[in-house]
Amino acid sequence: MSKKLLGMVLASLFFVACSLSPEQAALVRSVELPDLVLTNATYVLDRGEDTPLTVVAGQIALYDQSHTGVVSDLTFSQKDAQGTLVLQGSADAATVDLQSYDAQLQGAVSVEKIDQNFLIEAEHLRWLHDSEMLVSEEQTEVTVTYEGNKRVRGIGLRADLATSIVTFEQVLEGVVLL
């Protein structure tokens, strides 16, 4: 009888020691784990409306509940219907809305529109998919290099990749000659 009682006491101590406080349990339940994680992956985004965008990444984590993709160490490229490279870029990380395909690009972001001969570089850019627009945060400095050697640095970037029209709220360095 005493061994049985001792066993029950030890078991209850074990369960008490291993149980989480209500605060800890709520924190564990609030963490969303990815539904799918791809490592050293190539992902082709083809929505049927334009030529596909190819993304190569160190890691892609997809979250079904929040409709979010978190991508690290990425490069991307797009070719036209004839197979000619027209767009390429890279970033340290990106967070993508999997419904709208809008994205936040962070860390050493570069986007090059090869057929228009311009390069956009920043530490943080937002991609608005439906309007094909790259937008910088208010005080994020962005450098645009065009025609191979002309350079403009500014803040408040709005770059329409469909029309190749680039505007700044404020130019910090450089001049655009028409």
Side-chain angles (χ1 to χ4, degrees), residues 33-41 58-63 70 72:
L33 297 175
D35 296 286
L36 177 65
V37 176
L38 305 169
T39 304
N40 296 324
Q59 185 176 61
I60 301 172
L62 302 174
Y63 298 84
V70 177
S72 63

Side-chain angles (χ1 to χ4, degrees), residues 59-74:
Q59 185 176 61
I60 301 172
L62 302 174
Y63 298 84
D64 289 342
Q65 187 175 14
S66 63
H67 307 287
T68 304
V70 177
V71 186
S72 63
D73 189 26
L74 68 135

Side-chain angles (χ1 to χ4, degrees), residues 44-55 77-87 115 127 129 132:
V44 179
L45 174 62
D46 186 359
R47 294 179 61 193
E49 59 198 37
D50 202 0
T51 56
L53 182 72
T54 302
V55 177
S77 61
Q78 187 174 34
K79 296 179 179 180
D80 64 14
Q82 291 74 37
T84 304
L85 187 64
V86 293
L87 179 75
D115 59 339
W127 167 250
H129 181 76
E132 296 185 46

Side-chain angles (χ1 to χ4, degrees), residues 18 32 43 52 57 61-62 70 73 88 103 107 121 128 135 139 149 178:
C18 293
E32 183 183 4
Y43 183 85
L62 302 174
V70 177
D73 189 26
Q88 67 182 4
E121 297 173 295
L128 306 174
V135 179
Q139 296 303 312
N149 61 355
L178 300 175

Side-chain angles (χ1 to χ4, degrees), residues 119-138:
L119 171 67
I120 300 170
E121 297 173 295
E123 284 299 312
H124 183 97
L125 291 173
R126 189 166 31 125
W127 167 250
L128 306 174
H129 181 76
D130 286 341
S131 59
E132 296 185 46
M133 184 84 60
L134 279 172
V135 179
S136 69
E137 298 297 317
E138 292 176 9

Side-chain angles (χ1 to χ4, degrees), residues 69-113:
V70 177
V71 186
S72 63
D73 189 26
L74 68 135
T75 61
F76 53 91
S77 61
Q78 187 174 34
K79 296 179 179 180
D80 64 14
Q82 291 74 37
T84 304
L85 187 64
V86 293
L87 179 75
Q88 67 182 4
S90 62
D92 292 339
T95 303
V96 182
D97 181 316
L98 298 175
Q99 292 178 319
S100 67
Y101 295 102
D102 291 353
Q104 297 284 336
L105 304 166
Q106 298 101 14
V109 179
S110 73
V111 178
E112 183 177 10
K113 190 146 186 206

Side-chain angles (χ1 to χ4, degrees), residues 139-151:
Q139 296 303 312
T140 300
E141 286 190 18
V142 179
T143 301
V144 176
T145 305
Y146 62 100
E147 295 180 8
N149 61 355
K150 297 176 182 168
R151 191 172 275 215

